[in-house]
Amino acid sequence: MSMLYLFYTQTERRLLKEIENQTADLTKAIQIGVEEVTRGGSNKLAEYVKKLNTKGIKEISIISNQQEIIASTNPQNIGKPVTHRKKELIIKAELGEPVFEEENVYNVIVPVIAGNVQYGYIHLRINKDDFSKILKTNAIKRMITTLIIFSLGIIVTYIISSRYTRPIDTLTEAAIKVAQGDFNYRLNINRKDEIGKIAESFNFMIQKLQENQMLHERLREAEHLAAIGQLSRTIAHEIRNPLNFINLSIDHLIEKLKKEDKNNSNHINLLEKMKQEIYRVNNLITEYLEYVKPLKLNKKVANIIEIIEDVVSIIEATAEKEGINIYKDYTVDFTVNVDVDLIKSCFLNIITNAIYAMRDSEVKNLFIKTELVDDNILIKISDTGSGVPEEVIDKIFEPFFSTKRDGLGLGLPLAKKVIEEHGGTIEFSSKLGQGTEVKIYIPV
């Protein structure tokens, strides 16, 4: 609107300037015509009109009182009497109607009177087309300017609208992908306006949907594992009954063979080995049932050093037999609220593993240390044993995974389960050929 206003203002000024120029030229022409009438008429008028180079004045004629053309910009009309039509125009001019419109021309008859003496008439033929061309040209310019301005406005509007519609299209595509189940899709719209906030909220929604999907998958997996666990517990119980029967039957056979013939030592040895395998299987079932059953903690306040010392006293004889040195560093001494029996079993399992790892080591040192870390008692149990390969460290707490030849692989998983039930954590680190360190954090 401002651009149109400025253009219209300039166009109007140019048009007014053109009218002023035409009016000035017309006034000058009338002045020269009056001079020629009063002086008797030379034909300077034609020369003047050529100098003016006017656009509006088509012809100027000077008519005497005898109604004869005495001077004109058209030399062919000089000396000729006026036509009947011009006579009518002269009469109308005398009556006060000096301007008459024809097809493309305005006829102007101006009587020349000086000192109550009429010298004649000035006849001007003004071309309407010249002014019409100016008006048409200005109108075309205005239309073109308006078209250009509106085109620019449409382009700017398109650019601005695209800035907002493009992200909306992206949002639509993202919504379709999410509806199809693709929760990994994320919007990459780095803007700080409302569209940016919508994109941020959309990404947050997708993240929550992804988390919800993972939660459902874990829930289904947990339900599946719970069903398998229940089935396996039932199977384990069912296996123990025939194992007990087989074990008793083997005992009966051994006793009978010993009484019947003393040369049945090979058969007796075979039966005793069977009995050992049954014992091993029975132990496996017992540990498995111990691992899968829900823990019921029987907590009571106990001194952590006393718990460790009780465990050390159990393995001290074995350690001495294996030539293992035990180094104790009890920096802190706190009472904790724990299930003493379960915690002892955890410590015993870890220390037993450490003793086993140092059987073939040249340096056999077992270190037990207590520290206070934040609000937790830290119990470090480290050895100088053979260590564990780096590629299996992540599997060390998995059930039924063991680095021992005859290990069941349930000791460390059960220890982890007990520690976590107490609100603590357990960390395992090891280097092959250098030893292993286990850190147990128990809340004070």
Side-chain angles (χ1 to χ4, degrees), residues 73-318:
T73 55
N74 187 359
Q76 295 179 357
N77 293 332
I78 297 175
K80 292 182 179 180
V82 297
T83 61
H84 179 72
R85 174 62 180 163
K86 286 185 179 179
K87 287 180 181 180
E88 291 179 357
L89 296 176
I90 291 171
I91 294 170
K92 289 184 177 181
E94 292 288 345
L95 296 175
E97 296 183 16
V99 182
F100 306 94
E101 182 180 358
E102 293 181 356
E103 290 181 358
N104 294 317
V105 177
Y106 285 109
N107 288 288
V108 181
I109 303 293
V110 181
V112 180
I113 300 172
N116 295 324
V117 178
Q118 182 171 335
Y119 291 91
Y121 305 91
I122 297 175
H123 177 212
L124 297 96
R125 289 171 59 83
I126 300 174
N127 192 0
K128 290 195 299 181
D129 290 342
D130 292 336
F131 287 99
S132 298
K133 287 179 181 178
I134 294 171
L135 293 173
K136 286 180 180 178
T137 302
N138 287 336
I140 291 171
K141 287 181 179 179
R142 289 184 180 187
M143 290 173 64
I144 292 172
T145 304
T146 304
L147 182 63
I148 291 171
I149 290 171
F150 273 100
S151 299
L152 289 173
I154 290 170
I155 292 169
V156 172
T157 304
Y158 175 77
I159 292 170
I160 294 173
S161 62
S162 297
R163 175 177 167 80
Y164 286 93
T165 55
R166 194 178 297 112
I168 292 172
D169 292 337
T170 306
L171 280 170
T172 305
E173 292 177 5
I176 292 171
K177 289 184 178 180
V178 171
Q180 292 172 350
D182 184 7
F183 296 125
N184 293 318
Y185 186 83
R186 292 292 184 275
L187 288 172
N188 188 18
I189 301 177
N190 297 321
R191 294 171 57 158
K192 296 183 179 179
D193 55 4
E194 290 79 3
I195 298 294
K197 291 180 180 178
I198 292 173
E200 186 178 350
S201 301
F202 190 85
N203 287 336
F204 181 75
M205 180 193 70
I206 296 174
Q207 181 183 350
K208 291 299 178 184
L209 287 172
Q210 190 177 27
E211 291 175 0
N212 191 39
Q213 185 187 37
M214 292 174 64
L215 187 63
H216 279 294
E217 289 177 356
R218 289 177 182 174
L219 183 61
R220 284 197 297 270
E221 186 179 352
E223 290 174 350
H224 180 65
L225 291 174
I228 293 174
Q230 182 63 38
L231 178 63
S232 62
R233 285 197 297 271
T234 305
I235 292 172
H237 280 295
E238 291 298 324
I239 290 173
R240 293 182 81 177
N241 293 330
L243 282 178
N244 289 331
F245 173 74
I246 294 169
N247 193 39
L248 292 173
S249 299
I250 289 173
D251 288 338
H252 176 70
L253 289 172
I254 290 172
E255 290 295 329
K256 190 174 181 181
L257 287 172
K258 283 181 179 180
K259 289 179 180 179
E260 288 181 355
D261 189 359
K262 294 182 180 180
N263 295 324
N264 289 327
S265 58
N266 292 332
H267 294 89
I268 293 171
N269 289 334
L270 181 62
L271 290 172
E272 286 179 348
K273 287 180 180 179
M274 290 175 62
K275 187 175 176 66
Q276 289 175 3
E277 290 300 315
I278 291 170
Y279 178 76
R280 192 179 69 82
V281 172
N282 190 59
N283 281 346
L284 174 62
I285 294 171
T286 302
E287 288 197 23
Y288 171 74
L289 291 173
E290 196 71 27
Y291 176 75
V292 298
K293 76 177 182 180
L295 288 178
K296 294 181 181 180
L297 300 181
N298 184 20
K299 289 185 178 182
K300 62 180 179 179
V301 177
N303 185 281
I304 191 69
I305 304 300
E306 291 179 2
I307 295 174
I308 297 172
E309 283 297 317
D310 288 345
V311 175
V312 171
S313 64
I314 296 171
I315 56 93
E316 210 162 18
T318 305

Side-chain angles (χ1 to χ4, degrees), residues 312 315-316 319 324-328 364-368:
V312 171
I315 56 93
E316 210 162 18
I324 297 171
N325 302 312
I326 301 176
Y327 297 93
K328 294 176 282 188
K364 300 181 179 183
N365 296 325
L366 178 66
F367 301 92
I368 303 173

Side-chain angles (χ1 to χ4, degrees), residues 271-420:
L271 290 172
E272 286 179 348
K273 287 180 180 179
M274 290 175 62
K275 187 175 176 66
Q276 289 175 3
E277 290 300 315
I278 291 170
Y279 178 76
R280 192 179 69 82
V281 172
N282 190 59
N283 281 346
L284 174 62
I285 294 171
T286 302
E287 288 197 23
Y288 171 74
L289 291 173
E290 196 71 27
Y291 176 75
V292 298
K293 76 177 182 180
L295 288 178
K296 294 181 181 180
L297 300 181
N298 184 20
K299 289 185 178 182
K300 62 180 179 179
V301 177
N303 185 281
I304 191 69
I305 304 300
E306 291 179 2
I307 295 174
I308 297 172
E309 283 297 317
D310 288 345
V311 175
V312 171
S313 64
I314 296 171
I315 56 93
E316 210 162 18
T318 305
E320 186 177 349
K321 182 180 177 182
E322 295 288 340
I324 297 171
N325 302 312
I326 301 176
Y327 297 93
K328 294 176 282 188
D329 182 8
Y330 302 141
T331 307
V332 295
D333 184 6
F334 272 89
T335 55
V336 287
N337 188 24
V338 294
D339 188 316
V340 176
D341 293 333
L342 288 176
I343 291 293
K344 279 184 179 180
S345 67
C346 291
F347 292 163
L348 182 60
N349 191 287
I350 293 167
I351 294 173
T352 302
N353 286 343
I355 292 172
Y356 179 85
M358 290 188 288
R359 279 184 178 177
D360 301 324
S361 300
E362 294 180 2
V363 179
K364 300 181 179 183
N365 296 325
L366 178 66
F367 301 92
I368 303 173
K369 185 178 181 180
T370 60
E371 295 179 14
L372 182 64
V373 179
D374 296 331
D375 294 329
N376 296 284
I377 290 288
L378 169 60
I379 300 98
K380 285 184 183 179
I381 301 172
S382 55
D383 62 64
T384 56
S386 57
V388 176
E390 187 177 351
E391 60 270 15
V392 302
I393 289 178
D394 293 337
K395 301 178 181 179
I396 208 70
F397 290 110
E398 291 183 5
F400 304 108
F401 177 83
S402 177
T403 57
K404 300 177 184 177
R405 292 180 181 177
D406 54 349
L408 300 177
L410 289 172
L412 285 177
L414 184 59
K416 184 173 184 288
K417 184 177 180 182
V418 170
I419 297 299
E420 289 179 349

